[in-house]
Amino acid sequence: KLGALCMGDARFAKVVGTKYYHVARKKDINGNKRTYRWENTHRMIEQSGVTGIKTGITNSAGPCLATAIDHEESSLVVVLLNCKNMDCRWLETFKLAKWAAKRMKRIKQFC
């Protein structure tokens, strides 16, 4: 729910949907200005229909992935926790997105 809600904010969506994002910092107390470059390690960012979010890994949750996808007239967020390994996240996300879009299409027929 949080990912879907956040994707409604244009600034958030722009940052998490970009492979590289640059942030200019205002001058600090010494008058120095810095630019920071954030890199999104989400491999699917530049693929068709993928609009963003992020990767992650922790000891308790294992390899994780949150992905916003526009697929077959549906916008959805797929979140995977504790994946078997780092690489299976990408394929599993598309499998779940395809399944969810198919279910949503079926549900819309009855609404």
Side-chain angles (χ1 to χ4, degrees):
K1 281 185 169 184
L2 181 60
L5 181 65
C6 289
M7 287 303 287
D9 180 280
R11 190 173 27 175
F12 178 88
K14 181 178 180 181
V15 172
V16 300
T18 305
K19 186 71 176 163
Y20 300 101
Y21 190 79
H22 297 271
V23 178
R25 182 178 167 196
K26 295 180 181 179
K27 290 183 182 180
D28 61 17
I29 58 174
N30 298 320
N32 298 322
K33 192 174 184 180
R34 289 186 84 165
T35 300
Y36 295 93
R37 178 179 173 235
W38 296 334
E39 179 179 356
N40 191 335
T41 58
H42 196 310
R43 292 184 196 168
M44 296 165 58
I45 287 294
E46 297 172 342
Q47 294 182 15
S48 177
V50 176
T51 57
I53 311 192
K54 72 176 303 308
T55 62
I57 185 168
T58 67
N59 289 336
S60 58
C64 302
L65 182 64
T67 307
I69 301 174
D70 290 335
H71 183 73
E72 295 182 13
E73 301 176 18
S74 297
S75 292
L76 46 106
V77 173
V78 175
V79 177
L80 298 170
L81 303 173
N82 201 19
C83 295
K84 294 175 191 169
N85 61 56
M86 297 289 278
D87 292 326
C88 77
R89 301 178 291 179
W90 320 112
L91 181 59
E92 292 298 317
T93 293
F94 270 128
K95 284 181 184 177
L96 284 169
K98 187 176 179 181
W99 175 85
K102 192 175 191 180
R103 298 284 297 174
M104 289 171 69
K105 194 174 187 179
R106 220 186 253 171
I107 291 168
K108 286 180 183 177
Q109 289 176 343
F110 298 103
C111 295

